[in-house]
Amino acid sequence: MRAVCLLSGGLDSATTLACALRDGFEVYSISFDYGQRHQVELECAQRVSDALGAAAHKVIKIDLRAFGGSALTADIDVPKGRPTAEMGEGIPITYVPARNTVFLSIALAWAEVLGATDIYLGVNAVDYSGYPDCRPEYIEAFEKMANLATKAGVEGHGALKIHTPLISLSKAEIIQLGVSLGVDYGLTHSCYDPVEGRPCGRCDSCQLRLAGFVEAGLRDPLEYAG
Ligand SMILES: [Zn+2]
């Protein structure tokens, strides 16, 4: 049984890959070189994929910097030191337009070639409710579309399923789950705006990660800048 797992090299996607393996799949991991300012995450994705034992790992190049529109793909400053309450309000500037739709569509194409009917995605609706493409209703709609869009769906070789094992977990719960499944978080990368390859400790993603480790009663193995 094969599955495709979207792997950014971050904490959530590494945990999701571990869940796919736990579920008994032969897992094919896929990452995207989309012009993100935190390109270092691609090396992390490869390391995580090797360490956990994915069957193969692909990096697909799509230049979302061609039109920007996000602090991750344009010359827009990444917000630093925001209070948690502020992070939960509205759609953050680090939202990349239609990113999950673009990525899931490509993962779907690979799944079809592999004869896989399962796709794993590490979205989370708790810590980051501001991202529209991380909501359960979005995932359900994509799954429905995927079954209409593919040869596999039409010929009835089994319905395509999008798995989101982290969608209702807190960051601390995600970390505890990953640790129980043997994820080495020292190989992962979460920062939106690394300083000389090191996480900044102050962007939304770093702050949520650090708070998650504190809440889980564990130490983040990463070394932060400054
Ligand atoms: Zn950061």
Side-chain angles (χ1 to χ4, degrees):
M1 252 187 348
R2 291 172 163 176
V4 173
C5 179
L6 284 88
L7 184 67
S8 69
L11 185 153
D12 292 348
S13 68
T15 310
T16 303
L17 172 58
C19 289
L21 291 160
R22 170 204 63 192
D23 295 345
F25 289 99
E26 179 181 70
V27 187
Y28 294 75
S29 57
I30 186 166
S31 305
F32 296 90
D33 178 355
Y34 62 94
Q36 65 269 53
R37 63 165 75 223
H38 49 314
Q39 287 246 333
V40 59
E41 72 176 9
L42 292 171
E43 291 161 34
C44 295
Q46 182 67 59
R47 284 199 289 266
V48 167
S49 188
D50 291 344
L52 287 173
H57 176 239
K58 273 193 194 297
V59 178
I60 306 293
K61 203 170 167 64
I62 318 168
D63 187 12
L64 297 183
R65 199 162 269 272
F67 37 72
S70 162
L72 301 189
T73 54
D75 291 327
I76 300 170
D77 288 342
V78 171
K80 298 281 170 77
R82 295 208 296 166
T84 318
E86 203 180 303
M87 287 181 211
E89 276 172 25
I91 296 172
I93 189 68
T94 47
Y95 165 71
V96 178
R99 182 174 56 184
N100 280 347
T101 306
V102 172
F103 291 180
L104 273 174
S105 298
I106 292 169
L108 174 62
W110 196 22
E112 203 171 14
V113 173
L114 289 167
T117 53
D118 298 84
I119 295 176
Y120 279 75
L121 177 68
V123 291
N124 180 260
V126 177
D127 281 329
Y128 250 128
S129 49
Y131 286 147
D133 54 358
C134 291
R135 292 179 293 172
E137 50 269 51
Y138 163 75
I139 301 300
E140 271 169 42
F142 190 94
E143 193 176 274
K144 196 171 174 192
M145 184 282 291
N147 281 299
L148 292 170
T150 54
K151 182 168 177 265
V154 170
E155 291 180 350
H157 302 312
L160 190 119
K161 171 129 187 71
I162 312 278
H163 300 257
T164 56
L166 315 183
I167 202 151
S168 57
L169 301 184
S170 70
K171 197 60 97 187
E173 288 169 333
I174 292 168
I175 293 165
Q176 281 159 342
L177 173 62
V179 167
S180 77
L181 295 173
V183 176
D184 176 359
Y185 287 118
L187 301 177
T188 65
H189 171 89
S190 304
C191 184
Y192 288 146
D193 192 18
V195 183
E196 288 162 9
R198 281 191 187 178
C200 76
R202 297 178 57 236
C203 68
D204 292 2
S205 185
C206 279
Q207 290 200 71
L208 289 168
R209 175 181 171 123
L210 285 164
F213 272 97
V214 170
E215 202 191 318
L218 295 164
R219 199 184 142 270
D220 187 345
L222 294 186
E223 233 183 274
Y224 285 78

